[in-house]
Amino acid sequence: DVLQDGILYLPNKFTDNSMEITKVGQDSFICTRDISKSIKKVVVLKGITELGQSSFADTRIEKISLPSTLTDLGISSMQGTSLTSINIPSNVKQIANNVFNNSRLKYVKLSGNVEQIGEHSFYNCTSLIYINFPTTLKTIGQNAFYNCGNLKQNIKLSSNMTAIGLGAFSECYNILNVDLSETKLTNIPQDAFNSNTNLQRVKFPNTITNIGYRAFLMCKNLNADLSKCNDNIRIEALAFQYCEKLNTNLPSKCSYIGAQAFAHTAITNIIITNTVKEICAGAFSNSALQSVIFASGTGSITFGMDVFHTCKNLSSVTFSSRVTTLPQSMFYACDSLISIEIPASVTTLGIKVFRKCANLKNVTFATGTTITTFSSQLFSTCTSLTSVTVPASVTKIDAKAFEECSALTGVTFADPTKTWTANGTSLSVATPATNATNLVTTYVAYAWTKNS
């Protein structure tokens, strides 16, 4: 008599009153395909306080009515069901791990007392359209809403929110705006909003100290203001890669910029503040950068390779004494770079630093430079470069440093008292035009060494 017209009634007592039931036990109806074919709705009567682990998992139940006495939704209790909507009673404070994952839910109403949404709780709920986020909510677990691609709404989290798990909203393609400004979040974790291709705005709290690996990767329509994030924030690798509309100032107290963190973004002008300690490989590569200013301060910056690789609009770079190395391919294919002065603080030039800077015409070295080596392919394929003065401190020019510099007509050595050797041949360095020919063609494949 608990099954009537396709409705399963779960009482808290049997008819003979011999036993009081407060819990639907673990695996009670799991995979009961034959039985659940005739069950369209489950009514859990008042008095039941707990749905056990996997109690209705993988059934075909379309509707369930939960009593006000319910306090616990067990792990995976309704995963894989055919439920389309659900109201969570007010005594439930925690949405357990995996509780609704892979279900057909469209609408979820959480009570105003829910404090925690567990790991994978709505994982792969591809039909989910709407869920409310009560102000009581404190944490959202790992991959809680992963691949909820139909979740098309704005999300605002309250001042009680303290943590979001990695991948929490990953691949929620249709989320439009996220407001975190009132939260106490310190970390936006790995993949938190990865591939949210329609995400337009994010408001960050000033408590953020870390934006994690791939946190906003492929958010192609995102524009967010990072300038108010502080406390020596770290921006991890790929954090904003392929955010093709992102144009923002860097946080005023940023300490670390990870590999390709801002690659393929719309950022146009940046100031590298004096708090930045490390900029990793390709951090701004293929971006829309037009100008870069390195702020003055103490301590040098550690660079990875390719930092501004293929920034085709970059035309202005202002260095400070914090820049001591120009690493491999730092300005590779920066086609708008016409003129650059390398400061005396720079002691090392990596290979291919200016390779394929097609419009680079003028390169000068500040007085007092101590650079000793022009590295391999340093100016390779700089087809507009016409003349260079090699500082007196330079003692070696590696092979192919000026390869395919077709417009180079003069190379002047600042120290005319010394001779140079290439391929075992002692070279005269008195004539700039001859020097250019030797470096570009005759001895292009050989290293040049300054004689003592």
Side-chain angles (χ1 to χ4, degrees):
D1 60 352
V2 296
L3 181 59
Q4 301 173 19
D5 299 324
I7 302 176
L8 177 65
Y9 292 91
L10 295 180
N12 71 320
K13 287 185 179 181
F14 288 114
T15 55
D16 62 1
N17 291 323
S18 62
M19 183 183 297
E20 184 174 355
I21 302 171
T22 60
K23 175 181 178 180
V24 179
Q26 180 174 340
D27 301 332
S28 295
F29 297 92
I30 189 170
C31 294
T32 53
R33 294 294 186 185
D34 292 335
I35 296 175
S36 64
K37 284 179 182 177
S38 59
I39 299 174
K40 299 299 181 183
K41 180 178 179 179
V42 174
V43 177
V44 183
L45 298 181
K46 191 173 182 180
I48 300 293
T49 60
E50 181 180 350
L51 299 187
Q53 181 173 334
S54 304
S55 49
F56 291 99
D58 300 312
T59 63
R60 299 180 184 177
I61 296 168
E62 296 177 0
K63 295 182 180 180
I64 189 166
S65 177
L66 302 175
S68 60
T69 54
L70 192 72
T71 59
D72 293 301
L73 294 173
I75 293 172
S76 306
S77 55
M78 285 177 274
Q79 75 172 16
T81 65
S82 297
L83 288 171
T84 57
S85 65
I86 195 164
N87 291 330
I88 304 300
S90 59
N91 285 322
V92 175
K93 292 186 177 181
Q94 177 177 336
I95 307 301
N97 295 350
N98 302 292
V99 65
F100 296 108
N101 74 30
N102 288 288
S103 70
R104 297 181 184 179
L105 278 174
K106 292 183 179 180
Y107 302 98
V108 177
K109 173 64 175 176
L110 301 179
S111 79
N113 294 315
V114 172
E115 296 179 357
Q116 178 179 339
I117 295 176
E119 296 179 1
H120 300 85
S121 48
F122 297 94
Y123 181 97
N124 204 38
C125 289
T126 56
S127 298
L128 185 62
I129 296 172
Y130 177 80
I131 182 172
N132 65 306
F133 294 92
T135 57
T136 52
L137 192 61
K138 296 178 180 179
T139 62
I140 297 175
Q142 176 177 332
N143 293 323
F145 295 94
Y146 178 88
N147 197 32
C148 291
N150 277 309
L151 191 62
K152 190 173 184 178
Q153 65 179 88
N154 298 325
I155 293 175
K156 181 178 174 63
L157 301 179
S158 77
S159 58
N160 287 312
M161 177 61 61
T162 58
I164 295 176
L166 63 86
F169 294 94
S170 182
E171 299 192 28
C172 292
Y173 308 111
N174 285 305
I175 290 177
L176 300 175
N177 299 287
V178 175
D179 187 348
L180 307 174
S181 60
E182 296 179 4
T183 71
K184 295 181 177 67
L185 294 173
T186 59
N187 178 41
I188 307 296
Q190 175 179 329
D191 295 316
F193 297 92
N194 186 340
S195 299
N196 289 9
T197 50
N198 287 305
L199 182 61
Q200 297 173 12
R201 297 280 179 181
V202 174
K203 292 183 179 179
F204 294 99
N206 60 14
T207 51
I208 288 291
T209 59
N210 188 76
I211 297 178
Y213 176 59
R214 300 185 309 208
F216 295 94
L217 174 69
M218 295 291 292
C219 292
K220 293 186 176 183
N221 287 291
L222 176 64
N223 200 357
D225 184 4
L226 299 177
S227 62
K228 295 181 181 179
C229 300
N230 54 26
D231 292 327
N232 295 320
I233 187 170
R234 288 174 60 94
I235 300 174
E236 304 290 350
L238 310 179
F240 294 96
Q241 188 188 41
Y242 289 105
C243 292
E244 295 172 354
K245 292 186 178 180
L246 181 68
N247 189 2
T248 181
N249 293 321
L250 293 181
S252 59
K253 295 183 180 180
C254 183
S255 62
Y256 175 91
I257 302 173
Q260 300 194 51
F262 294 100
H264 300 273
T265 64
I267 290 178
T268 53
N269 303 289
I270 56 169
I271 297 175
I272 307 295
T273 62
N274 58 17
T275 59
V276 175
K277 297 178 181 178
E278 184 171 0
I279 303 177
C280 297
F284 297 94
S285 61
N286 293 278
S287 69
L289 270 177
Q290 298 175 13
S291 69
V292 177
I293 296 174
F294 289 91
S296 299
T298 59
S300 60
I301 302 172
T302 300
F303 291 102
M305 66 177 68
D306 303 332
V307 173
F308 302 107
H309 194 295
T310 321
C311 290
K312 291 189 175 294
N313 297 318
L314 182 60
S315 60
S316 174
V317 180
T318 303
F319 292 106
S320 76
S321 61
R322 299 189 67 229
V323 179
T324 58
T325 300
L326 302 188
Q328 178 176 332
S329 303
M330 187 174 194
F331 298 103
Y332 188 110
C334 291
D335 288 345
S336 296
L337 200 60
I338 295 173
S339 178
I340 196 161
E341 181 180 51
I342 299 173
S345 59
V346 172
T347 59
T348 304
L349 299 174
I351 65 171
K352 305 179 184 178
V353 173
F354 299 102
R355 178 170 165 76
K356 290 192 175 181
C357 289
N359 292 297
L360 183 63
K361 295 180 179 180
N362 302 301
V363 178
T364 56
F365 295 84
T367 301
T369 184
T370 59
I371 291 170
T372 60
T373 303
F374 277 13
S375 57
S376 178
Q377 301 182 70
L378 177 63
F379 299 104
S380 175
T381 325
C382 290
T383 53
S384 296
L385 188 64
T386 56
S387 63
V388 174
T389 296
V390 179
S393 59
V394 174
T395 59
K396 185 179 181 182
I397 300 175
D398 283 338
K400 301 182 179 180
F402 292 91
E403 177 186 35
E404 297 184 33
C405 290
S406 54
L408 190 65
T409 57
V411 175
T412 301
F413 288 88
D415 181 5
T417 65
K418 298 292 191 298
T419 59
W420 289 70
T421 300
N423 193 30
T425 302
S426 183
L427 305 171
S428 171
V429 294
T431 308
T434 302
N435 296 336
T437 300
N438 284 334
L439 282 164
V440 175
T441 57
T442 308
Y443 295 101
V444 65
Y446 303 103
W448 286 44
T449 303
K450 188 176 183 179
N451 299 315
S452 58

